[in-house]
Amino acid sequence: MLDERKRRILQAIVDDYISTAEPIGSRTIARKYNLGVSPATIRNEMSDLEQLGYLEQPHTSAGRIPSAKGYRFYVDCLLQPPQISEREVALIQQWYQSKVQRIEQVFQETARVLSRVTRNISLVLAPELKQRKFKYLQFLPLDAQRVILIIVTDTGFLENKIITIPEDTDVHDLQRIANCINDRLAGLVFEQIKSSLLQDIKQELLHDAELFDMALAMIRETIRSQNQERVYLGGASQLLTQPEFRDVDRVKSLLSILEQERLVCDMLHAQEGEGITVTIGTENKYAGIQDCSVVQATYSIDGHIVGKIAVLGPTRMEYGKVMAVLDFMHRYLEKVLERFRV
């Protein structure tokens, strides 16, 4: 364990390096942080911290920077995450209210707002819902030519699409088609909805084949979306603003990982459990992100963990800010998802 003075010096170095991305010298610490000791004493303490593995010296004449061990101690023992600001809360709430109309947009916009607020790459793991059940299909008239086709699952999630209906189709035709589909599919797990069953329904609705085909396309789209996890990515361009990623090869290596959806899913699943977790440097599974940190949090539906939200950035990321945002976002995301329940 580190004594109090070493802790204060380590915290000052990490805080300063996060802000400046420049190696920190003892005179800088003495001048900026008023620790009550001389630069010579700070220099000796920094030397001890380096020998203990908490600091590194990138060049002989340069100051020190935190090591992965130093960041880990900072996150675990020194950091007190700040509260997310009222301005950021308002931004997030307004963002969802103006941009989210469908369930997939929840995850798309979560990725966008996370990257915008944290200025890092964001990852949102949307749930696999293949055990969910078909509840009902409904047509909601918009005008004489258009209706909203809605499919509702037993969790209350909605899939919806505006379609143009054939001429001379009235509300009774729409209701008859919906009733036929709902009678045959209600209560079935999506995996149980086979092509043969859908063809049987089509035979019953031969006089309304055009409209049924539109509904059929929507049902199949819903089945596909229920049967796989999806990762939504935001802020990849943020890499180019970070001094750590001026090296084009480093950027290519990281982007090659982010392009592989199954690999990203595996990366996020590597850390299990509730709450916020932080993996730093070589704690990460894949070589392409072993000079990065990943902060992630789970979110739940009906008390069951179903997905994750994460922020990926350099080890020099603002851990306190990112953790505060994720703490707010995972709880707010659960509230947003409630809007899509019926």
Side-chain angles (χ1 to χ4, degrees):
M1 298 297 292
L2 302 181
D3 62 36
E4 183 61 26
R5 187 159 66 190
K6 284 184 174 61
R7 285 171 172 249
R8 293 176 64 196
I9 290 172
L10 177 60
Q11 182 164 13
I13 291 170
V14 176
D15 286 339
D16 205 80
Y17 186 63
I18 286 172
S19 299
T20 67
E22 296 291 340
I24 314 302
S26 56
R27 291 186 180 278
T28 299
I29 297 299
R31 184 179 67 254
K32 293 177 68 173
Y33 292 94
N34 191 29
L35 299 179
V37 292
S38 68
T41 299
I42 294 173
R43 189 159 50 249
N44 289 336
E45 295 284 20
M46 290 172 67
S47 179
D48 290 344
L49 287 167
E50 183 179 1
Q51 290 181 6
L52 291 168
Y54 294 97
L55 298 179
E56 297 174 347
Q57 192 169 21
H59 307 289
T60 304
S61 59
R64 269 74 165 191
I65 64 173
S67 66
K69 181 179 179 180
Y71 283 122
R72 171 51 62 196
F73 189 85
Y74 175 83
V75 169
D76 292 345
C77 303
L78 303 178
L79 186 63
Q80 296 181 353
Q83 294 293 316
I84 186 171
S85 71
E86 292 183 4
R87 182 188 67 81
E88 289 165 335
V89 169
L91 169 67
I92 292 168
Q93 292 173 335
Q94 291 169 8
W95 187 281
Y96 278 107
Q97 289 168 3
S98 63
K99 296 181 179 292
V100 173
Q101 303 298 325
R102 298 178 59 185
I103 185 63
E104 68 270 19
Q105 289 178 316
V106 173
F107 306 112
Q108 292 168 351
E109 298 306 325
T110 296
R112 290 194 180 104
V113 73
L114 259 182
S115 65
R116 179 174 176 180
V117 175
T118 66
R119 300 189 300 278
N120 283 295
I121 294 174
S122 63
L123 304 163
V124 177
L125 183 63
E128 179 181 8
L129 298 173
K130 64 183 180 181
Q131 294 305 313
R132 304 305 178 190
K133 296 178 181 179
F134 183 100
K135 189 172 183 181
Y136 64 82
L137 175 147
Q138 185 176 3
F139 296 98
L140 295 180
L142 278 179
D143 51 41
Q145 287 79 41
R146 298 179 304 155
V147 299
I148 304 174
L149 172 57
I150 297 174
I151 293 176
V152 182
T153 73
D154 66 327
T155 61
F157 286 155
L158 305 179
E159 293 284 354
N160 60 83
K161 184 177 183 179
I162 296 175
I163 62 172
T164 301
I165 59 177
E167 291 185 11
D168 301 323
T169 302
D170 62 27
V171 65
H172 300 293
D173 298 322
L174 297 174
Q175 191 61 52
R176 184 178 66 256
I177 295 169
N179 288 343
C180 183
I181 293 172
N182 293 338
D183 287 344
R184 299 292 297 274
L185 300 186
L188 292 181
V189 173
F190 278 91
E191 285 186 323
Q192 297 174 318
I193 302 176
K194 306 298 184 183
S195 294
S196 58
L197 175 57
L198 296 173
Q199 287 303 315
D200 288 345
I201 300 173
K202 186 172 183 178
Q203 289 300 313
E204 296 180 32
L205 296 169
L206 284 177
H207 295 297
D208 304 290
E210 183 179 352
L211 199 53
F212 176 77
D213 284 341
M214 295 179 186
L216 178 61
M218 186 73 170
I219 292 168
R220 286 177 169 157
E221 180 182 335
T222 305
I223 292 171
R224 284 193 297 271
S225 69
Q226 302 292 311
N227 286 343
Q228 60 184 357
E229 288 181 312
R230 291 205 56 193
V231 175
Y232 295 85
L233 178 70
S237 61
Q238 300 283 356
L239 283 177
L240 304 179
T241 68
Q242 303 284 3
E244 289 88 346
F245 293 101
R246 290 172 183 155
D247 184 336
V248 175
D249 290 334
R250 290 181 69 184
V251 174
K252 287 181 178 178
S253 177
L254 179 53
L255 289 179
S256 69
I257 289 179
L258 297 179
E259 288 170 356
Q260 302 176 62
E261 188 167 20
R262 294 316 309 165
L263 192 149
V264 175
C265 286
D266 183 56
M267 178 184 79
L268 294 175
H269 281 305
Q271 294 296 319
E272 298 298 339
E274 298 184 44
I276 295 176
T277 61
V278 182
T279 52
I280 300 170
T282 55
E283 296 172 358
N284 291 300
K285 182 175 180 179
Y286 295 103
I289 59 169
Q290 288 186 343
D291 51 4
C292 300
S293 289
V294 180
V295 184
Q296 60 181 286
T298 57
Y299 63 92
S300 301
I301 298 173
D302 292 335
H304 301 289
I305 295 173
V306 295
K308 296 190 176 189
I309 55 176
V311 171
L312 184 152
T315 53
R316 191 185 52 82
M317 73 162 60
E318 293 181 78
Y319 291 96
K321 168 71 173 294
V322 172
M323 292 169 73
V325 171
L326 283 178
D327 182 57
F328 174 81
M329 281 292 295
H330 87 93
R331 290 180 283 109
Y332 192 73
L333 177 57
E334 292 170 1
K335 293 180 181 179
V336 173
L337 290 173
E338 284 294 320
R339 287 167 40 191
F340 292 85
R341 297 177 62 80
V342 294

